[in-house]
Amino acid sequence: METVFSVLVGIFFFAAVYLMLSRHTVRMLLGIAILGNAVNLLLFTAGRLTRGVPPIIGTGEDVLASHAANPLPQALILTAIVISFCFFCFLAVLVWRSFQALKTDDSNEMRAAEPRSEPLPPLGY
């Protein structure tokens, strides 16, 4: 099962990088969301995928059983979900406000510091 999840993590990372390299801000935003999900799935896969034994230390024992799932990645994933959702919401508002101000979602057309009417800077000295 870990092999399937590892391949799925690779596909998620590939899709996320492909979308983040796009010129359009909405695609970049979706790429960042997929990247967060890929990292969460990577942490989940690293924590051993077992359903046989819950990650509970029984009475009279000092350590977790060796064949139990690791609870630390699960706790990290819960925290990462909240942080990635907040980051996604912030970026969604940023993209929306930039679209309202500039009337485009193409990053090449958003260059306010380099207007098209002014001459280009020198290419060499």
Side-chain angles (χ1 to χ4, degrees):
M1 192 65 168
E2 278 121 3
T3 307
V4 174
F5 277 120
S6 298
V7 170
L8 189 61
V9 166
I11 292 170
F12 275 13
F13 273 112
F14 172 76
V17 169
Y18 177 76
L19 287 172
M20 286 190 302
L21 291 175
S22 176
R23 293 185 340 187
H24 300 282
T25 56
V26 175
R27 288 183 185 173
M28 288 181 205
L29 187 65
L30 291 175
I32 290 170
I34 292 174
L35 182 68
N37 290 331
V39 170
N40 291 341
L41 191 59
L42 179 68
L43 286 173
F44 185 67
T45 305
R48 290 190 300 257
L49 302 174
T50 58
R51 292 193 287 177
V53 179
I56 298 172
I57 298 175
T59 57
E61 297 178 6
D62 293 334
V63 294
L64 188 64
S66 63
H67 54 279
N70 191 357
L72 182 63
Q74 296 171 13
L76 289 174
I77 291 168
L78 286 175
T79 306
I81 288 170
V82 173
I83 292 171
S84 65
F85 181 71
C86 293
F87 186 60
F88 177 78
C89 290
F90 171 74
L91 290 178
V93 170
L94 191 65
V95 165
W96 175 249
R97 294 291 295 158
S98 67
F99 179 76
Q100 282 181 335
L102 300 172
K103 303 293 188 235
T104 184
D105 72 333
D106 190 357
S107 62
N108 285 343
E109 295 175 7
M110 289 183 175
R111 298 186 301 174
E114 300 173 2
R116 293 184 190 264
S117 60
E118 293 184 14
L120 292 174
L123 298 176
Y125 295 101

